[in-house]
Amino acid sequence: MNSVHMVADRNDTKARLLTEARDLYVEEGPASFSLREVARRAGVSAAAVYRHYDGKEALFEQVCLAGLQVFYGYLVRALEEATPHERLVGSATQYLRFGLENPRDYRVLFMGAGPAHKHPPGKGKKPDATFQFLIDRVQECMNAGILHEDDPHEVATVIWAHVHGLVSLRLAGQLAHVGTDTQFAKLYHRSTERLVEGLSG
Amino acid sequence: MNSVHMVADRNDTKARLLTEARDLYVEEGPASFSLREVARRAGVSAAAVYRHYDGKEALFEQVCLAGLQVFYGYLVRALEEATPHERLVGSATQYLRFGLENPRDYRVLFMGAGPAHKHPPGKGKKPDATFQFLIDRVQECMNAGILHEDDPHEVATVIWAHVHGLVSLRLAGQLAHVGTDTQFAKLYHRSTERLVEGLSG
DNA sequence: GTCTATAGGTGGATAGAC
DNA sequence: GTCTATCCACCTATAGAC
């Protein structure tokens, strides 16, 4: 096995720094996110980090980009569905799956404290791509007559707010009373479907 | 006018520090929130802050508490409504008003970066009181037969997630395409009412 | 590619004068 | 109540040895 083909060696310092950086960020917050602490957790010196990343900000940028890659990996699966309706529902399902299976990435991408990090390019640009994806699913349903003709922008907006609200509150521990992830998923799907029906009918 | 009765003198350093602290937090994020910078903005030395607050964390705690006071000031107005249904809808309305009229306080209270600030007592305790308030409104509607009997916990959960999702995305600028605050308010009310109908019918 | 050493900077908090 | 001066901790980033 050539090292060139190894994507995530357990001892790959670069990859290790990336995950340690992400974990530190979500565990201790932006205020405590330091390059030195990331290096400590990864078991290397602070100076070593500069062999892999251009600095603190660049490191965090890569954390965001890596999270987006994972996120898109989930979203695109919804396109494998057969009908427009299934693709729309599937999008919501994949969004939920991403959040529950990658809570740390979700927090970095969608629960960053507003202007917490200034530069992270994944904050103002890519989520727009996400939004467009959802708009396309809605438009698709309207074209197929599955959803009543309406402003796809508006319907997509409300759906996004709804799923983001549910997932973010769940990950924040505010919805612990709902029970298991499976129970939460039922609630998620039921309320989302009813919301869509209510908005389109 | 006795100074004892003056709550917010323009030159009241203590009050000035509080608002400067809040603004710095929402503008620059937790990572850049420093006692020294707050003091600079307030036009006093860093040491002067300690005459009013016990330190950096204590200062931020007071920022959170002040925001909660304002928030509750909005919520309780919903209790002035005549019927359970109007009180439930009114709660959502007041929640929206608070967010649009006090975006900085809203960000501090509900859009803090997860574990961004560790101690702030307004994060794990008080929002529970907020949630209980909403549960009470829902239960009230069910008792009155206005909402179909269901788990008030669950219905309140979905409503909270929905309104929080809409307001937080709006304040994050992700819903700029919706238009004016008035237009956004229409969307907010319409989608919320349909959600409630869908969940209870 | 990783280390140690170091330069240069910011911040929290305290002491003591006024 | 506010100031200046100060201490100490921690950080980013770089230089140069290995």
Side-chain angles (χ1 to χ4, degrees):
Chain A
M1 188 148 79
N2 192 319
S3 67
V4 173
H5 299 132
M6 296 174 61
V7 174
D9 187 329
R10 189 173 317 194
N11 289 333
D12 184 343
T13 300
K14 184 166 185 176
R16 188 175 176 78
L17 285 170
L18 203 67
T19 61
E20 293 292 351
R22 182 200 59 186
D23 291 357
L24 174 64
Y25 182 83
V26 298
E27 287 168 16
E28 303 300 327
S32 301
F33 180 74
S34 76
L35 187 147
R36 288 177 104 97
E37 179 60 22
V38 171
R40 271 191 290 268
R41 292 188 176 203
V44 297
S45 72
V49 178
Y50 290 86
R51 283 290 150 185
H52 303 284
Y53 301 96
D54 286 341
K56 181 187 180 182
E57 287 197 358
L59 172 57
F60 186 68
E61 273 189 25
Q62 292 307 309
V63 169
C64 291
L65 283 177
L68 275 176
Q69 298 296 332
V70 176
F71 178 58
Y72 288 147
Y74 277 78
L75 262 199
V76 295
R77 295 191 204 178
L79 296 178
E80 297 172 2
E81 300 294 331
T83 69
H85 179 262
E86 287 172 336
R87 284 194 285 275
L88 176 60
V89 172
S91 296
T93 300
Q94 294 301 326
Y95 188 92
L96 172 65
R97 283 193 59 220
F98 169 72
L100 293 182
E101 296 174 8
N102 308 274
R104 298 181 215 246
D105 288 322
Y106 189 93
R107 297 185 79 102
V108 169
L109 292 177
F110 302 118
M111 295 171 76
H117 23 54
K118 310 189 172 184
H119 299 166
K123 267 306 170 39
K125 300 166 190 166
K126 295 313 179 84
D128 288 344
T130 297
F131 189 46
Q132 188 57 50
F133 181 92
L134 182 56
I135 293 176
D136 290 344
R137 294 305 128 253
V138 170
Q139 182 70 67
E140 194 175 45
C141 284
M142 290 180 180
N143 291 343
I146 294 169
L147 280 185
H148 188 266
E149 281 293 335
D150 200 343
D151 180 5
H153 235 330
E154 181 175 311
V155 174
T157 292
V158 177
I159 293 174
W160 185 17
H162 185 77
V163 297
H164 168 67
L166 278 174
V167 175
S168 63
L169 283 180
R170 174 67 173 181
L171 293 187
Q174 300 282 13
L175 268 43
H177 60 82
V178 172
T180 67
D181 279 355
T182 302
Q183 290 177 296
F184 174 69
K186 283 185 183 176
L187 170 63
Y188 177 92
H189 290 123
R190 186 148 42 100
S191 66
T192 301
E193 280 180 23
R194 284 178 175 172
L195 174 68
V196 173
E197 289 171 10
L199 280 168
S200 59
Chain B
M1 188 148 78
N2 193 319
S3 68
V4 174
H5 299 131
M6 296 173 60
V7 174
D9 186 327
R10 186 174 317 193
N11 288 332
D12 184 343
T13 299
K14 184 166 184 175
R16 188 175 175 78
L17 284 170
L18 204 66
T19 61
E20 292 293 350
R22 182 200 60 186
D23 291 355
L24 174 63
Y25 182 84
V26 299
E27 288 168 15
E28 303 300 327
S32 301
F33 180 74
S34 76
L35 187 146
R36 290 177 109 102
E37 178 60 21
V38 172
R40 271 191 288 270
R41 292 188 176 203
V44 297
S45 71
V49 179
Y50 290 86
R51 282 289 149 186
H52 303 283
Y53 301 96
D54 287 340
K56 181 187 179 182
E57 287 197 358
L59 172 57
F60 185 68
E61 274 189 24
Q62 292 307 309
V63 169
C64 291
L65 283 178
L68 275 175
Q69 298 296 332
V70 176
F71 179 58
Y72 288 146
Y74 278 78
L75 261 199
V76 296
R77 295 190 204 179
L79 295 178
E80 297 171 2
E81 299 294 331
T83 69
H85 179 262
E86 287 173 336
R87 284 195 285 275
L88 176 59
V89 173
S91 296
T93 300
Q94 293 302 326
Y95 188 91
L96 171 66
R97 284 193 60 222
F98 169 71
L100 293 183
E101 295 175 9
N102 308 274
R104 298 181 215 245
D105 288 321
Y106 189 93
R107 297 185 80 101
V108 169
L109 292 177
F110 302 118
M111 295 170 76
H117 24 53
K118 311 190 172 184
H119 299 165
K123 268 304 169 42
K125 300 167 190 165
K126 294 314 179 81
D128 287 346
T130 297
F131 189 46
Q132 188 57 50
F133 180 92
L134 182 55
I135 293 176
D136 291 344
R137 294 305 129 257
V138 170
Q139 182 70 65
E140 194 175 45
C141 283
M142 289 180 181
N143 291 343
I146 295 169
L147 280 185
H148 187 267
E149 281 293 336
D150 199 342
D151 180 5
H153 235 329
E154 182 176 311
V155 174
T157 292
V158 177
I159 294 174
W160 185 17
H162 185 77
V163 298
H164 167 67
L166 279 174
V167 174
S168 63
L169 284 180
R170 174 67 173 181
L171 294 187
Q174 301 283 12
L175 268 44
H177 60 84
V178 172
T180 66
D181 280 354
T182 302
Q183 288 177 296
F184 174 68
K186 283 185 183 177
L187 169 64
Y188 176 92
H189 289 124
R190 186 150 42 99
S191 66
T192 302
E193 279 179 24
R194 284 180 176 170
L195 174 67
V196 173
E197 289 171 11
L199 280 168
S200 59

